[in-house]
């Protein structure tokens, strides 16, 4: 008893000493018994965890608890799973095991729910029946601007007398997209992987390395760096892919493509693509036609407007675009022979009015109503050249005080 009392006092004092003979001394290396760690007291509020059954929660249990006691109630595992599956609990639910596997289970559950509520796919006959039951009309109006001199052209597409598409253009808002130029390289920046090219339209346009036709540049199997394909002073054939915005110039590409009514002609392409909006049977029919009419060194992309088009229509479209490409090539060769270093415009896309008629107006429309002499002459000339079978659906609106 004499030894234990001083030893206990020494331990309470926080010392790591050993008591011998009633006196405490520091612990040395020869002592084998480790000193007991000094207990740390917790400060703050007391916490008591209680696990209760469903019907065991009474007011008497909570009244007997000391102050600042936090009670955590936890339900059964089955009840927690049901609440998390039904989504009734807004609290964060803990998971057991891998979070990656739990995420995979959740995706599977969501996939099964989506499969139960899957929207039925329309058959080809139902799709054609719904499309033919809608009355489609295209309306074109030309009107002088009130804020400044010029003419505004509006094109509207109506389905059962409801406006579904609206296009507006004016003389001062002509787009450059699709135009083909013979440009002069001003500067090549390898760090940006881009080249700045003068196309004769004020601000220099930019050509990025991803838009370069490497096969035409002779770098098909070599290192594809823009400084190897272009150098300042070179004359290059480019096409505008994006209009200039604010202080940024137009974006260019050397992968030339020319759009027609039924297809897009790619002179240096060797593949054929067909719009996915067309039914499978129509895609198969068009693919069989293209094997016989597409040149070997060119490629085409069939548009949605080609549905129901005959082989003669597609061949006429390909021949027209091929002749335009030959004219562009001839003009580029003549300009390069002059060696004056000036940029030139070789091909310009038609106006927005012609583009809308080319892309949208087909056999699904009952009529095309036009108000304005200039728009009427432009549309009649174009339809007579590319789609003469639709010429009887054109209707000129005489403005007698009633707007079209």
């Amino acid at each position: 008893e004499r030894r234990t009392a001083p030893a206990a006092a020494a331990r309470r004092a926080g010392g790591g000493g050993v008591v011998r003979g009633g006196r405490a001394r520091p612990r040395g290396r020869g002592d084998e018994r480790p000193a007991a760690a000094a207990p740390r007291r917790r400060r703050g509020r007391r916490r008591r965890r209680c696990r209760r059954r469903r019907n065991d929660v009474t007011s008497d249990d909570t009244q007997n608890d000391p102050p600042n006691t936090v009670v955590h109630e936890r339900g059964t595992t089955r009840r927690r799973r049901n609440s998390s599956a039904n989504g009734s609990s807004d609290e964060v639910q803990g998971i057991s095991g891998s979070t990656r596997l739990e995420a995979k289970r959740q995706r599977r559950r969501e996939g099964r729910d989506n499969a139960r509520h899957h929207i039925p796919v329309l058959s080809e006959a139902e799709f054609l029946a719904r499309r033919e039951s809608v009355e489609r009309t295209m309306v074109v109006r030309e009107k002088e601007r009130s804020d400044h001199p010029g003419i505004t052209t509006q094109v509207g597409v109506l389905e059962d007398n409801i406006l579904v598409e609206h296009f507006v253009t004016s003389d001062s808002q002509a787009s450059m997209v699709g135009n083909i130029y013979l440009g002069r390289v001003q500067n090549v920046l390898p760090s940006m992987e881009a080249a700045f090219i003068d196309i004769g339209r004020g601000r220099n346009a930019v050509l990025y390395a991803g838009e370069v036709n490497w096969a035409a540049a002779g770098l098909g199997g070599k290192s594809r760096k823009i400084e190897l394909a272009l150098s300042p002073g070179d004359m290059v054939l480019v096409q505008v892919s994006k209009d200039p915005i604010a202080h940024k110039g137009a974006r260019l590409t050397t992968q030339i493509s020319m759009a027609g009514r039924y297809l897009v002609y790619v002179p240096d392409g060797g593949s054929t693509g067909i719009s996915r909006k067309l039914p499978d049977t129509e895609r198969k029919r068009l693919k069989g036609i293209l094997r016989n009419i597409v040149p070997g060194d060119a490629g085409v992309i069939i548009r949605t407007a080609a549905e129901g088009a005959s082989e003669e229509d597609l061949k006429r479209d390909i021949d027209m675009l091929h002749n335009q490409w030959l004219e562009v090539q001839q003009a580029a060769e003549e300009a390069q022979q002059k060696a004056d270093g000036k940029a030139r415009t070789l091909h310009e896309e038609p106006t927005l009015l012609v583009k809308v008629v080319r892309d949208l107006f087909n056999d699904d429309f009952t009529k095309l109503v036009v108000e304005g002499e200039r728009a009427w002459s432009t549309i009649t000339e174009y339809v007579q050249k590319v789609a003469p079978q639709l010429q009887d659906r054109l209707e000129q609106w005489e403005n007698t005080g009633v707007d079209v």
Side-chain angles (χ1 to χ4, degrees):
E1 291 178 359
R2 274 191 228 142
R3 290 184 180 180
T4 56
R11 283 196 300 268
R12 285 196 299 271
V18 178
V19 177
R20 289 184 180 177
R23 292 164 53 178
R25 70 174 180 83
R27 183 181 297 275
R29 292 185 180 178
D31 301 317
E32 297 179 357
R33 291 179 55 187
R40 292 186 295 178
R41 296 182 179 179
R42 295 183 180 179
R43 296 182 179 180
R45 61 181 186 179
R46 296 177 57 192
R47 297 174 60 91
R48 182 172 66 84
R49 296 182 179 273
C50 299
R51 187 163 190 172
R52 308 176 187 271
R53 298 177 182 269
R54 292 186 184 177
N55 302 325
D56 289 350
V57 180
T58 60
S59 60
D60 298 338
D61 297 336
T62 59
Q63 290 176 359
N64 297 331
D65 291 337
N68 297 330
T69 300
V70 180
V71 180
H72 295 271
E73 296 184 12
R74 210 157 100 189
T76 60
T77 305
R78 182 179 300 176
R79 187 172 62 181
R80 290 199 306 272
R81 288 179 179 175
N82 294 337
S83 62
S84 61
N86 299 332
S88 59
S89 177
D90 296 335
E91 300 179 356
V92 178
Q93 301 291 334
I95 60 173
S96 59
S98 172
T99 56
R100 181 178 59 84
L101 296 179
E102 182 64 24
K104 182 183 290 187
R105 297 189 196 100
Q106 184 176 356
R107 287 195 298 269
R108 288 176 179 174
R109 288 194 298 266
E110 293 175 354
R112 287 193 294 267
D113 294 340
N114 295 334
R116 295 190 188 99
H117 306 288
H118 186 65
I119 302 175
V121 179
L122 291 176
S123 63
E124 182 179 354
E126 292 175 343
F127 172 75
L128 295 176
R130 291 190 181 186
R131 190 177 66 177
E132 293 175 358
S133 62
V134 178
E135 182 181 358
R136 290 180 175 84
T137 306
M138 184 177 293
V139 180
V140 179
R141 179 180 68 176
E142 266 188 355
K143 192 175 182 180
E144 293 186 0
R145 298 179 65 99
S146 58
D147 50 355
H148 57 78
I151 297 178
T152 301
T153 304
Q154 301 184 40
V155 183
V157 178
L158 306 178
E159 293 183 357
D160 291 336
N161 294 328
I162 298 176
L163 182 66
V164 294
E165 289 187 84
H166 186 218
F167 304 90
V168 182
T169 184
S170 63
D171 298 337
S172 60
Q173 297 176 348
S175 176
M176 297 170 54
V177 176
N179 296 352
I180 301 177
Y181 300 92
L182 181 64
R184 184 175 184 271
V185 180
Q186 296 291 334
N187 195 9
V188 180
L189 299 180
S191 60
M192 289 182 56
E193 296 186 352
F196 291 92
I197 300 176
D198 177 22
I199 58 175
R201 298 297 295 269
R203 190 183 299 111
N204 290 339
V206 60
L207 172 66
Y208 290 100
E211 300 292 340
V212 176
N213 188 352
W214 300 105
L219 298 175
K222 300 181 182 179
S223 177
R224 296 186 174 184
K225 296 182 179 180
I226 195 168
E227 61 268 21
L228 300 179
L230 300 173
S231 58
D234 291 347
M235 303 299 292
V236 58
L237 192 66
V238 293
Q239 187 177 28
V240 178
S241 60
K242 188 176 181 181
D243 285 323
I245 300 177
H247 63 281
K248 294 184 178 180
R251 287 190 60 172
L252 303 177
T253 178
T254 59
Q255 303 171 3
I256 309 297
S257 61
M258 309 182 73
R261 175 169 177 80
Y262 300 112
L263 49 88
V264 177
Y265 182 76
V266 185
D268 296 330
S271 59
T272 300
I274 301 178
S275 172
R276 294 186 176 274
K277 295 182 180 180
L278 297 176
D280 294 338
T281 56
E282 183 68 13
R283 289 164 56 88
K284 186 177 181 179
R285 183 187 73 87
L286 293 173
K287 187 177 294 185
I289 295 176
L290 294 177
R291 294 194 186 99
N292 304 324
I293 61 177
V294 177
D297 57 344
V300 295
I301 301 174
I302 296 295
R303 313 180 68 171
T304 310
E307 183 178 6
S310 61
E311 183 176 353
E312 291 76 12
D313 296 335
L314 298 176
K315 191 175 187 307
R316 182 172 60 248
D317 215 10
I318 291 177
D319 294 341
M320 179 187 68
L321 297 175
H322 181 67
N323 294 333
Q324 290 182 1
W325 170 243
L326 294 179
E327 294 176 359
V328 169
Q329 281 186 320
Q330 184 178 359
E333 293 175 359
E334 293 176 357
Q336 288 179 350
Q337 289 177 359
K338 294 181 179 180
D340 54 0
K342 293 183 179 180
R344 287 177 172 80
T345 303
L346 305 180
H347 172 76
E348 288 188 354
E349 278 289 293
T351 61
L352 178 65
L353 175 61
V354 177
K355 288 182 181 179
V356 173
V357 174
R358 178 190 67 190
D359 299 343
L360 300 181
F361 187 60
N362 53 20
D363 295 332
D364 295 337
F365 287 83
T366 57
K367 58 182 177 180
L368 193 158
V369 185
V370 183
E371 178 184 353
E373 293 296 334
R374 192 176 67 171
W376 172 255
S377 60
T378 302
I379 292 176
T380 52
E381 181 182 356
Y382 178 77
V383 172
Q384 186 177 3
K385 183 174 63 174
V386 300
Q389 72 276 8
L390 300 176
Q391 193 172 1
D392 57 346
R393 304 190 185 188
L394 302 181
E395 179 181 331
Q396 187 175 11
W397 180 270
E398 297 294 340
N399 192 347
T400 59
V402 180
D403 193 273
V404 68

